[in-house]
Amino acid sequence: MSADNLFLPALKTASRKPGALARSFCFVLAALLATSCVSAETIELDGHELHVKLAVTQAEQNRGLQGVTSLSDREGMLFIFEPPRAVCMWMHRVPIDLDVGFFDKNKRLLAIFNMKAQTKTTHCSPLAAAFVLETRAGWFKDHQVGIGARLSREGDAR
């Protein structure tokens, strides 16, 4: 069933039965929320542990951290690009400043940028990126994490 047709049965049912509109609306809302669930994992970057939400699908990557009003020192979002490619990030609809780090396929840090809230300025990886990490603004400097640092994910061989 296509995404367009997903809502038709609920809407047709709602038009036939009084009170069914509320149930149909709840069903549709639950379906939408279920598709927007983002998985999470713990990563390590130069000995610093971070709990990150994963952005793997195009929809998750497009949404990013829009609407997030704060991040703790141990929180972030990890974007995963398979296959690695040129990646540019921007801050439209993100209400807080962020740091962004671009990583190659070997999980080595290629570049770090500070991104200002609510801007359309793009920040691009200098080479093909397999991973992009967004953290609170100043995180990389505060933790003295620089170019060449290695990202470790759960299940990586140590």
Side-chain angles (χ1 to χ4, degrees):
M1 178 179 287
S2 74
D4 293 337
N5 294 333
L6 176 68
F7 303 106
L8 290 178
L11 294 175
K12 287 179 184 175
T13 301
S15 64
R16 284 183 253 148
K17 295 181 184 176
L21 182 59
R23 287 190 300 278
S24 297
F25 175 76
C26 289
F27 168 75
V28 171
L29 183 60
L32 289 173
L33 290 175
T35 60
S36 68
C37 291
V38 177
S39 58
E41 71 179 46
T42 299
I43 62 169
E44 191 174 297
L45 182 54
D46 261 12
H48 303 283
E49 192 173 271
L50 290 160
H51 305 287
V52 295
K53 292 181 181 177
L54 300 179
V56 179
T57 69
Q58 186 69 47
E60 291 166 344
Q61 292 170 355
N62 288 344
R63 187 171 33 266
L65 291 171
Q66 289 182 21
V68 172
T69 57
S70 68
L71 284 175
S72 77
D73 194 55
R74 294 183 51 164
E75 293 179 310
M77 179 168 266
L78 185 66
F79 297 75
I80 301 172
F81 297 97
E82 183 59 44
R85 57 185 166 269
V87 175
C88 293
M89 307 297 280
W90 66 326
M91 297 289 288
H92 185 62
R93 297 187 181 137
V94 179
I96 57 173
D97 292 351
L98 297 173
D99 276 359
V100 61
F102 295 93
F103 296 81
D104 66 15
K105 67 180 179 181
N106 298 315
K107 301 183 186 112
R108 293 282 177 194
L109 184 57
L110 300 170
I112 305 164
F113 297 99
N114 180 265
M115 302 190 299
K116 297 296 179 191
Q118 305 289 354
T119 62
K120 292 185 181 179
T121 303
T122 56
H123 305 275
C124 302
S125 61
L127 300 169
F131 305 93
V132 175
L133 176 63
E134 290 184 340
T135 62
R136 68 160 179 79
W139 189 92
F140 287 89
K141 183 179 177 184
D142 292 348
H143 294 281
Q144 299 176 347
V145 174
I147 305 304
R150 187 172 187 285
L151 172 74
S152 297
R153 295 181 62 205
E154 292 176 342
D156 282 350
R158 304 246 180 211

